[in-house]
Amino acid sequence: MSLESNGIEVTGLVREFKNGPRAVDGIDLTVEPGEIYGFLGPNGAGKSTTVHMLTTLLPPTAGSAKVAGLDVATQGAKVRKVIGAALQEAALDPHLTAREHMKLQTSLHGLPKEERIRRGDELIERVGLSEAADRRVGGYSGGMKRRLDLALALVHRPRVLFLDEPTTGLDPQSRASLWAEVTRLSAEDGVTVFLTTQYLEEADQLANRVGIIDAGRIAAEGTPAALKSEIGRPSVEVVPRDPDNRTRSQEILAPFGSPVPAARDALGIRLNEGIDELVGIVRAFDAANIELASLVLNEPTLDDVFLAKTGRHLEGAGEADSAEMPLPDSGAVNA
């Protein structure tokens, strides 16, 4: 596998649907070979539309994109040979077993007969489905289906792997298992991973770099640590024990920072000078004789970055926009 040609290069990429807004509005991005790139944004931001173009399922309206050194618009067949994709809905036959899915997928990819069983069993074991390999997929849990979909996407040893919100709806254990396999693919096999997600923790844990997309445009890009350092200042949330003291508590907090949204019943501020002001806040509440039920210091998060760049929080940031047009049978696209 040539790692030098495993990257993604996108320049001025646009996708405009008829009678609708630009789902993707001139984005530029580069994903280095072997990197896990987290593509973060709310529903309707343009994440899935971008993936559909990079996997040759949608033609760009304008701009260009190369995946593994191949142009997605003019070399689609070659692109599909070197990528794996597990999109939002797994395209699995409920009447087939995992082993039968593997047999079909390895045949479609033209693996030699002597290698098909070995490769299928290897991937089934890798994603933790050996004990369920001969059960019909219709009886699988959501997490098991996601893991099988990932295994199918890896049959032909792709150089670039696209994962479109792969852990949506999964339980924590299934999510952790998938995270571990994605990390291993990048670290040990040199696979470039393009991961779209709405989960802040997922992007923070997995991605070497993150691109934040909003309304079809890149709002911010960088390592999670670098993006959070741009925000720099932590926040504080306090909950007065007596709800009648909320107004007075706001007045006490005001000199120490600017208001930010907080958890229910809490008052939040972004500290002007950082954690050194925490002692002053505690002393100010003591001097006012206001007892606090809780005081929580929060380090900057990717949600804080999103808020700073777009003016709103990522969580619950709108429902699917009409610009995010789903494609039929958008499961594993590997053939």
Side-chain angles (χ1 to χ4, degrees):
M1 181 185 292
S2 175
L3 298 184
E4 289 77 10
S5 60
N6 286 2
I8 300 172
E9 297 178 13
V10 173
T11 304
L13 195 64
V14 173
R15 177 64 197 190
E16 187 171 0
F17 292 103
K18 186 177 180 181
N19 300 324
R22 287 190 171 192
V24 177
D25 192 10
I27 65 172
D28 301 317
L29 60 87
T30 300
V31 182
E32 298 297 330
E35 184 176 37
I36 299 178
Y37 186 90
F39 206 41
L40 189 66
N43 284 335
K47 301 190 307 297
S48 293
T49 301
T50 299
V51 169
H52 288 154
M53 286 189 284
L54 296 180
T55 55
T56 77
L57 291 176
L58 276 176
T61 304
S64 65
K66 288 187 176 181
V67 176
L70 302 167
D71 190 289
V72 299
T74 61
Q75 298 175 289
K78 291 182 178 180
V79 171
R80 290 189 288 275
K81 287 183 179 180
V82 299
I83 67 171
L87 305 188
Q88 290 187 27
E89 295 295 330
L92 303 174
D93 187 328
H95 301 293
L96 298 181
T97 66
R99 209 178 300 279
E100 288 169 339
H101 274 93
M102 279 294 173
K103 183 178 180 180
L104 176 61
Q105 194 79 343
T106 53
S107 298
L108 289 172
H109 280 290
L111 270 66
K113 287 184 178 180
E114 61 274 15
E115 186 182 350
R116 292 174 190 173
I117 294 177
R118 182 174 68 252
R119 181 61 175 164
D121 289 346
E122 171 195 333
L123 289 170
I124 286 173
E125 181 178 2
R126 185 186 293 181
V127 297
L129 292 175
S130 294
E131 294 183 4
D134 295 307
R135 285 168 45 194
R136 289 185 178 183
V137 169
Y140 278 18
S141 67
M144 294 168 72
K145 290 177 181 177
R146 288 286 188 178
R147 283 183 279 150
L148 176 58
D149 199 33
L150 174 61
L152 292 170
L154 298 174
V155 159
H156 58 306
R157 296 179 174 85
R159 287 150 49 181
V160 182
L161 178 64
F162 292 90
L163 301 176
D164 193 11
E165 302 194 17
T167 61
T168 298
L170 297 192
D171 61 82
Q173 183 176 356
S174 296
R175 185 174 296 168
S177 296
L178 196 144
W179 285 3
E181 179 58 21
V182 170
T183 301
R184 193 203 66 77
L185 285 167
S186 172
E188 297 181 16
D189 295 351
V191 176
T192 303
V193 180
F194 191 92
L195 169 76
T196 78
T197 182
Q198 294 185 70
Y199 296 123
L200 298 164
E201 182 188 9
E202 188 158 79
D204 216 348
Q205 290 282 335
L206 288 179
N208 304 115
R209 286 189 305 127
V210 168
I212 295 178
I213 187 170
D214 185 48
R217 297 182 179 182
I218 302 295
E221 188 179 45
T223 66
L227 289 173
K228 288 184 287 186
S229 70
E230 290 182 16
I231 305 301
R233 298 170 293 142
S235 64
V236 165
E237 293 185 7
V238 302
V239 178
R241 190 168 297 280
D242 184 349
D244 290 339
N245 286 327
R246 284 184 62 85
T247 300
R248 178 62 183 135
S249 296
Q250 284 180 313
E251 295 172 350
I252 293 171
L253 289 172
F256 296 97
S258 54
V260 293
R264 185 178 179 183
D265 298 328
L267 300 166
I269 59 167
R270 177 81 56 204
L271 296 172
N272 289 330
E273 303 297 335
I275 61 174
D276 291 342
E277 293 184 294
L278 207 55
V279 173
I281 291 173
V282 173
R283 288 174 176 169
F285 275 97
D286 283 343
N289 200 28
I290 293 178
E291 187 177 356
L292 296 178
S294 69
L295 186 151
V296 179
L297 177 68
N298 298 315
E299 292 296 324
T301 67
L302 288 177
D303 187 44
D304 295 322
V305 175
F306 192 84
L307 177 64
K309 299 295 183 180
T310 69
R312 58 194 175 94
H313 281 275
L314 180 62
E315 293 92 347
E319 298 181 357
D321 192 283
S322 59
E324 282 286 274
M325 296 181 64
L327 293 176
D329 298 326
S330 55
V333 180
N334 310 303

